[in-house]
Amino acid sequence: MTTPPSWGRAERLDAETLVAALYDETGVRLTVEGPCPGGQVGAAYVRRPDGHRSVLKWRPHTTVAEVRSGPLAVSEILHADGFPCPATELAAQVGHAAVMVQELLPGTTMDGLDHHGLDQALSLNEALTGRLADHPGIPQLPLYLRSDGPGYCLHEPLRRHSARGAALERRIVAVGCEYPDRLPGSDAVHNDFHPGNFLAEEGEITGVIDWDGAARGDCRFDLVTLRFGLHGTRGAAGVTARLDALLDTLPPEVLRPSWAHMSLRMTDWAIRHFPPAEVETWLNLAERGV
């Protein structure tokens, strides 16, 4: 079977239109400098009249209240505790989208990890342990193993892609039937923890960005995300093997649903956004753990 051409793609940020609408809503005037590198939905560098530079982001089809009670609450708690994540300078509702203007952190995104980079990533991940124990109102991380997520983690693309994709989707659903729909725990979970969201200068990580999906849960989920994020990147020999050995020590109630979620997320996304050859590479990785 071939992929139907009607599969939806993610909405992309139209920065110029958004800053004009943001000015109408808030009176804050921003000038767009250009797109930020990487990412699938988009972010842009913006500048205020006084020269202050920031990053413009959006979450379509959501409200500021939802963002403030979830992802923004996570990053604001961490930022206040000294974790290297950006502060949110402005959040406003613009039509169907929640729009954020966030602090521009120093550094540039990383293409991969060497062993020193992995050490830093593991240390940052460990620092998320228990950070939300005093904030039970922040939602737990949804896994979408039995039903579709909001524009990602869609099941039908796998079922329609191929017999191989359909078999993977059935196994993902089976894992979902064994575990809760939301990941238990009181840690902060980034939910997209990979080198493209690490900023670094001269090999030292200076920040972790893109907290749009952050939630409560078990921060070891982010180690699985990191493993998928390293797939196909340029990294030092042995880095992936080190991470695989660490993942082998995780309890099945963490590893299995986390791997199933990332398998669904990445194969669905690849089917809808990437060339066919790339879909096969994500299926290969997914099948190792599901």
Side-chain angles (χ1 to χ4, degrees), residues 202-263:
E202 297 182 352
E204 300 299 319
I205 295 178
T206 55
V208 182
I209 59 173
D210 198 5
W211 292 81
D212 294 358
R216 281 168 51 87
D218 191 311
C219 64
R220 293 173 292 184
F221 171 93
D222 283 337
L223 298 179
V224 179
T225 306
L226 181 60
R227 176 62 181 87
F228 276 72
L230 291 178
H231 188 57
T233 65
R234 299 191 303 273
V239 168
T240 301
R242 275 185 62 196
L243 185 55
D244 282 339
L246 177 58
L247 294 181
D248 287 342
T249 70
L250 298 186
E253 64 269 21
V254 174
L255 180 59
R256 294 190 68 225
S258 299
W259 194 280
H261 170 91
M262 289 306 302
S263 297

Side-chain angles (χ1 to χ4, degrees), residues 41 57-60 62 66-75 78 100 102 128 132 138-144 150 152-153 182-183 187-194 197 208-218 221-222 225 261-262 265:
V41 178
K57 296 177 62 66
W58 77 326
R59 289 193 69 183
T62 192
E66 291 170 327
V67 172
R68 284 200 179 280
S69 65
L72 281 188
V74 176
S75 61
L78 293 173
M100 288 79 67
Q102 296 185 334
L128 301 178
L132 303 182
I138 295 175
Q140 303 291 138
L141 181 72
L143 296 173
Y144 307 118
Y152 67 99
C153 285
R182 290 178 177 266
L183 189 67
D187 304 340
V189 179
H190 180 279
N191 196 25
D192 203 14
F193 193 74
H194 63 78
N197 284 328
V208 182
I209 59 173
D210 198 5
W211 292 81
D212 294 358
R216 281 168 51 87
D218 191 311
F221 171 93
D222 283 337
T225 306
H261 170 91
M262 289 306 302
R265 189 201 299 189

Side-chain angles (χ1 to χ4, degrees), residues 6-23:
S6 58
W7 291 129
R9 295 175 66 87
E11 296 181 59
R12 298 288 299 180
L13 173 73
D14 181 343
E16 295 288 354
T17 298
L18 206 55
V19 297
L22 190 63
Y23 176 73

Side-chain angles (χ1 to χ4, degrees), residues 17-277:
T17 298
L18 206 55
V19 297
L22 190 63
Y23 176 73
D24 291 339
E25 289 289 334
T26 67
V28 174
R29 188 179 298 280
L30 299 170
T31 299
V32 178
E33 293 187 333
C36 299
Q40 298 295 323
V41 178
Y45 298 115
V46 293
R47 185 181 69 252
R48 295 183 187 242
D50 64 2
H52 178 76
R53 301 179 70 228
S54 305
V55 174
L56 178 75
K57 296 177 62 66
W58 77 326
R59 289 193 69 183
H61 307 290
T62 192
T63 67
V64 170
E66 291 170 327
V67 172
R68 284 200 179 280
S69 65
L72 281 188
V74 176
S75 61
E76 287 172 355
I77 290 164
L78 293 173
H79 184 270
D81 287 344
F83 192 92
C85 59
T88 297
E89 300 169 349
L90 175 67
Q93 192 73 39
V94 177
H96 64 73
V99 179
M100 288 79 67
V101 179
Q102 296 185 334
E103 177 186 10
L104 176 61
L105 297 178
T108 57
T109 56
M110 305 174 72
D111 293 330
L113 290 180
D114 57 16
H115 287 278
H116 180 57
L118 179 60
D119 289 338
Q120 293 177 81
L122 296 179
S123 178
L124 287 166
N125 176 255
E126 186 176 1
L128 301 178
T129 305
R131 286 295 187 100
L132 303 182
D134 296 331
H135 303 275
I138 295 175
Q140 303 291 138
L141 181 72
L143 296 173
Y144 307 118
L145 300 184
R146 292 183 288 170
S147 59
D148 288 346
Y152 67 99
C153 285
L154 306 184
H155 288 247
E156 188 65 17
L158 273 70
R159 291 194 290 261
R160 296 283 297 274
H161 175 264
S162 63
R164 187 182 180 191
L168 175 64
E169 192 272 340
R170 288 193 296 270
R171 294 196 296 275
I172 289 168
V173 172
V175 173
C177 291
E178 295 183 47
Y179 298 100
D181 292 333
R182 290 178 177 266
L183 189 67
S186 60
D187 304 340
V189 179
H190 180 279
N191 196 25
D192 203 14
F193 193 74
H194 63 78
N197 284 328
F198 302 158
L199 300 178
E201 290 182 331
E202 297 182 352
E204 300 299 319
I205 295 178
T206 55
V208 182
I209 59 173
D210 198 5
W211 292 81
D212 294 358
R216 281 168 51 87
D218 191 311
C219 64
R220 293 173 292 184
F221 171 93
D222 283 337
L223 298 179
V224 179
T225 306
L226 181 60
R227 176 62 181 87
F228 276 72
L230 291 178
H231 188 57
T233 65
R234 299 191 303 273
V239 168
T240 301
R242 275 185 62 196
L243 185 55
D244 282 339
L246 177 58
L247 294 181
D248 287 342
T249 70
L250 298 186
E253 64 269 21
V254 174
L255 180 59
R256 294 190 68 225
S258 299
W259 194 280
H261 170 91
M262 289 306 302
S263 297
L264 174 64
R265 189 201 299 189
M266 292 309 305
T267 52
D268 159 54
W269 195 268
I271 289 166
R272 291 187 291 133
H273 296 86
F274 298 161

